Amino acid sequence: MFFDKVQAAPADPILGLTEEFRNDPNPNKINLGVGVYKNDQGETPVLSCVKKAEKIILDSEKTKSYLSIPGTAEYGNLVRELVFGKDSEICSEGRACTAQAPGGTGALRVGGDFLAQQKIASKIWISNPTWVNHFKVFGAAGFETAQYSYYNPATHGIDFEGMKESLRQAKPGDVVLLHGCCHNPTGIDPTAEQWEELARFTASAGLLPFFDFAYQGLGNGLNEDAQGVRIFARHHREFLVSSSFSKNFGLYNERVGAITVVSADKEESDRVFSQLKIAVRSNYSNPPAHGAKIVQTVLADPALRAEWEDEVAAMRQRIKTMRSLMVQKLQALGVNQDFSFINSQNGMFSFSGLNKEQVARLKSEFGVYIVGSGRINVAGITTGNIDALCSAIAKVL
Ligand SMILES: Cc1ncc(COP(=O)(O)O)c(C=O)c1O
């Protein structure tokens, strides 16, 4: 017997919620659990720029032969430009290398494997709360994980003093994982001044920043959302950025992302790249082609790129509209609690402040599915379900 002692793993809390939602016969049920963008019809459509790029790829593709281990050089260039900006000296000096990865998750894992295999670091500081998979991904790469304070439930804002206080416990050489924008699950990002202060602090403390950049464009704009990464680039010569194109390209099931490592100079970057490729090779050998080809085609073609930027802006705008509608409607329903903080959060998620009992009642009495922490996927709210949602919330408060 080999497997008789294997214990059943607990169900993934968010995917488990989706399963429950699927089995709920309530015709008016609302799923605000899983982190997927929906349009006002409640659909997660393929972007128009993506469809056009796929046509181009279908017509021009001549082979399904392997990609190289890090994917194409052009993809790497386009990703770095998107992250650091066209005029960035990181790009012009050749100080960064990029490997295409299967989604943001794959990028985080390759980055983690690279750091662990090279014995660069063994402990990573992760925000409390965070996307729960961070613990599993970095744990699997061999990291010890620790948490830094991030959220203040009393103000529904960032606990910046607590964050600095916890990071003072970090030792030189430790890694700090930062959400580039649209913090998951709180929707709260540092201000430019706070990014600046954090960057100075982490640089002087000898900490290595690792940005998880999964929502570029869904907060305040493609460049605006990169402000944290770009401020850090002024204070740190070395850091990592994981990009995901699941949300901003709607390419969830194509698994497309990238890991970028910034080094002190070109010569160091070349050495790092050679080891990054080993981390890929020992994981999945080389990346899948289709999703990255789409991203590359769109970003490299001025017309398709302009269309993509409009489509991202439309997603971002719809989320912002739903935020302010929700605040207005709750107010109009006469709820005592002030929900205006929802307007100042960024991206798809909102920490609503709803407690476990309220979340449970929303599900059992109204068919409204929200993660137990009270995290709402604002991108799941539509003009069709917002009235039912707000009246259900008003009833459980
Ligand atoms: C903060 C964060 N990082 C990474 C990911 C993973 O993205 P991907 O689906 O591209 O692997 C997610 C997805 O929800 C996320 O919220």
Side-chain angles (χ1 to χ4, degrees):
M1 299 288 248
F2 291 98
F3 306 137
D4 58 331
K5 302 222 167 38
V6 174
Q7 306 259 330
D12 182 283
I14 297 181
L15 299 182
L17 195 70
T18 306
E19 193 59 31
E20 267 188 86
F21 175 80
R22 239 183 246 133
N23 297 333
D24 186 340
N26 180 347
N28 300 317
K29 60 190 176 178
I30 303 172
N31 186 2
L32 303 181
V34 70
V36 168
Y37 177 83
K38 299 207 179 110
N39 64 16
D40 205 45
Q41 286 70 51
E43 294 151 354
T44 305
V46 181
L47 298 191
S48 157
C49 65
V50 166
K51 277 282 183 208
K52 288 179 187 166
E54 285 185 307
K55 279 208 176 73
I56 296 172
I57 294 165
L58 192 66
D59 290 343
S60 62
E61 195 171 53
K62 293 200 178 63
T63 178
K64 293 283 186 193
S65 183
Y66 292 124
L67 287 185
S68 64
I69 296 170
T72 70
E74 190 187 359
Y75 177 80
N77 286 334
L78 291 163
V79 169
R80 288 192 295 276
E81 256 180 43
L82 196 61
V83 172
F84 304 117
K86 252 192 163 27
D87 304 324
S88 154
E89 60 170 40
I90 290 176
C91 300
S92 61
E93 291 173 1
R95 279 174 50 215
C97 58
T98 303
Q100 188 200 317
T105 311
L108 292 167
R109 178 62 194 266
V110 170
D113 280 351
F114 159 70
L115 295 175
Q117 285 164 4
Q118 290 302 302
K119 301 192 170 32
I120 293 164
S122 58
K123 184 166 179 177
I124 186 162
W125 292 76
I126 297 175
S127 68
N128 179 22
T130 195
W131 181 53
V132 285
N133 209 19
H134 280 151
F135 296 102
K136 295 204 181 72
V137 169
F138 287 99
F143 275 82
E144 180 191 346
T145 55
Q147 286 183 282
Y148 59 84
S149 301
Y150 191 78
Y151 177 67
N152 183 342
T155 61
H156 299 282
I158 193 167
D159 177 13
F160 196 60
E161 289 311 311
M163 183 180 187
K164 287 186 294 182
E165 185 53 42
S166 359
L167 288 178
R168 275 189 210 107
Q169 319 300 315
K171 301 262 180 325
D174 286 355
V175 181
V176 186
L177 186 72
L178 298 155
H179 296 226
C181 67
C182 308
H183 184 272
N184 179 5
T186 66
I188 300 155
D189 296 323
T191 62
E193 292 71 33
Q194 288 170 334
W195 278 124
E196 186 76 33
E197 194 179 334
L198 270 178
R200 283 180 199 280
F201 168 72
T202 49
S204 68
L207 307 180
L208 176 63
F210 193 149
F211 278 89
D212 180 356
F213 205 11
Y215 297 92
Q216 187 175 5
L218 290 176
N220 294 302
L222 288 163
N223 285 310
E224 290 82 348
D225 291 348
Q227 76 166 354
V229 173
R230 294 180 191 175
I231 287 170
F232 264 64
R234 297 206 291 266
H235 298 278
H236 286 265
R237 299 285 289 174
E238 297 170 314
F239 60 99
L240 297 89
V241 182
S242 148
S243 300
S244 164
F245 298 113
S246 301
K247 324 278 162 150
N248 55 10
F249 269 86
L251 288 171
Y252 306 90
N253 68 14
E254 296 293 352
R255 311 307 299 134
V256 48
I259 178 73
T260 298
V261 185
V262 180
S263 296
D265 56 41
K266 164 97 174 67
E267 187 272 331
E268 181 181 288
S269 179
D270 291 344
R271 281 185 279 121
V272 165
F273 201 28
S274 69
Q275 291 295 346
L276 199 63
K277 286 187 255 189
I278 302 285
V280 170
R281 186 76 173 138
S282 55
N283 245 314
Y284 48 86
S285 194
N286 50 72
H290 188 68
K293 197 84 206 271
I294 295 168
V295 170
Q296 186 175 317
T297 304
V298 171
L299 292 181
D301 179 289
L304 287 180
R305 188 182 181 120
E307 187 171 354
W308 173 62
E309 291 188 9
D310 287 348
E311 292 192 276
V312 178
M315 290 194 250
R316 178 168 71 234
Q317 204 44 56
R318 200 189 84 73
I319 294 171
K320 281 193 189 291
T321 304
M322 288 304 123
R323 285 185 183 280
S324 68
L325 259 184
M326 186 173 167
V327 174
Q328 280 169 31
K329 284 187 187 281
L330 286 171
Q331 237 166 25
L333 286 165
V335 305
N336 288 329
Q337 250 166 285
D338 177 16
F339 279 98
S340 57
F341 62 86
I342 290 177
N343 278 324
S344 46
Q345 298 166 335
N346 294 319
M348 288 173 46
F349 300 117
S350 170
F351 237 30
S352 61
L354 295 165
N355 64 34
K356 276 204 159 42
E357 290 73 43
Q358 291 164 335
V359 169
R361 278 191 62 199
L362 281 172
K363 182 167 77 177
S364 60
E365 294 176 33
F366 302 98
V368 175
Y369 287 71
I370 293 175
V371 183
S373 62
R375 185 195 83 168
I376 286 179
N377 175 14
V378 183
I381 305 176
T382 66
T383 47
N385 67 24
I386 193 165
D387 286 321
L389 170 70
C390 290
S391 99
I393 291 176
K395 284 184 186 128
V396 303
L397 282 176

